[in-house]
Structures are given as structure tokens and as C-alpha cells.
């Protein structure tokens, strides 16, 4: 089985609230770049007035867009690779 490159965290943070407005220092990875990019593709596709595809096809297409974008970023930008590696190593 091939591991899918999710691009690492999209909006990582170390500060979360405890529900009472107090901040606690806890690692929170946020959503993956893959999920974020797929969501952006979803918005773009659904905003097109002539879209008439299926939900399954839509989901697959959005994930393919996200995977292609991550692969392109990995291939063309060394700084992105370093940034994602650094973020994934954070506790």
C-alpha cells in the first residue's frame, strides 16, 4: 500500500484554549495541506455554474488536485520541502 503524502500540517499551532479562555501549550497539528488544498479545489469546482458531476467524482477530483499540487510543490521548491520537514518534526 502506498502512503499518501498529505503535505504536513496546514495551520499548526502550539496554543489551544482549555474551554474557559485560558491558553494551554499543547501541540495541535491542524488539518493537513492535502485536506486544505482539496477544500480549496472543492470551492472552485462548485462555484462553476456548469458543474454537473457526481459527488464521488467531485471528491476524487479534489483529492487528485490536492495531490498534484503537493507533488508539484515538492518537485519544484526546495524551501517548501524544508518547511514541511521542519513542521513535521515539531513536538
Amino acid at each position: 500500500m502506498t502512503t499518501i503524502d498529505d503535505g504536513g500540517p496546514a495551520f499548526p499551532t502550539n496554543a489551544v484554549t482549555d474551554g474557559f479562555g485560558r491558553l494551554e501549550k499543547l501541540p495541535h497539528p491542524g488539518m493537513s495541506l492535502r485536506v486544505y488544498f482539496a477544500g480549496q479545489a472543492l470551492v472552485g469546482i462548485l462555484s462553476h455554474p456548469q458543474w454537473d458531476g457526481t459527488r464521488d467524482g467531485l471528491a476524487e477530483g479534489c483529492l487528485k488536485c490536492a495531490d498534484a499540487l503537493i507533488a508539484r510543490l515538492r518537485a519544484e521548491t526546495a524551501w517548501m520541502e524544508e518547511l514541511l520537514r521542519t513542521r513535521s518534526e515539531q513536538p
Side-chain angles (χ1 to χ4, degrees):
M1 182 174 167
T2 304
T3 302
I4 296 174
D5 183 359
D6 70 1
F11 305 106
T13 182
N14 287 326
V16 296
T17 62
D18 64 359
F20 298 100
R22 297 178 299 231
L23 289 179
E24 295 182 13
K25 200 97 160 115
L26 299 171
H28 188 274
M31 75 174 92
S32 70
L33 280 175
R34 184 175 192 242
V35 170
Y36 178 73
F37 290 156
Q40 296 300 305
L42 175 67
V43 170
I45 292 168
L46 290 178
S47 69
H48 193 279
Q50 294 178 347
W51 181 81
D52 62 354
T54 65
R55 285 185 292 199
D56 290 340
L58 176 63
E60 184 177 344
C62 289
L63 289 172
K64 284 183 179 182
C65 287
D67 291 342
L69 182 53
I70 290 170
R72 183 74 178 230
L73 289 170
R74 292 252 189 242
E76 291 190 359
T77 56
W79 67 268
M80 181 65 130
E81 180 73 41
E82 180 62 24
L83 175 67
L84 294 173
R85 186 187 61 76
T86 302
R87 285 186 175 178
S88 68
E89 293 176 356
Q90 292 178 350

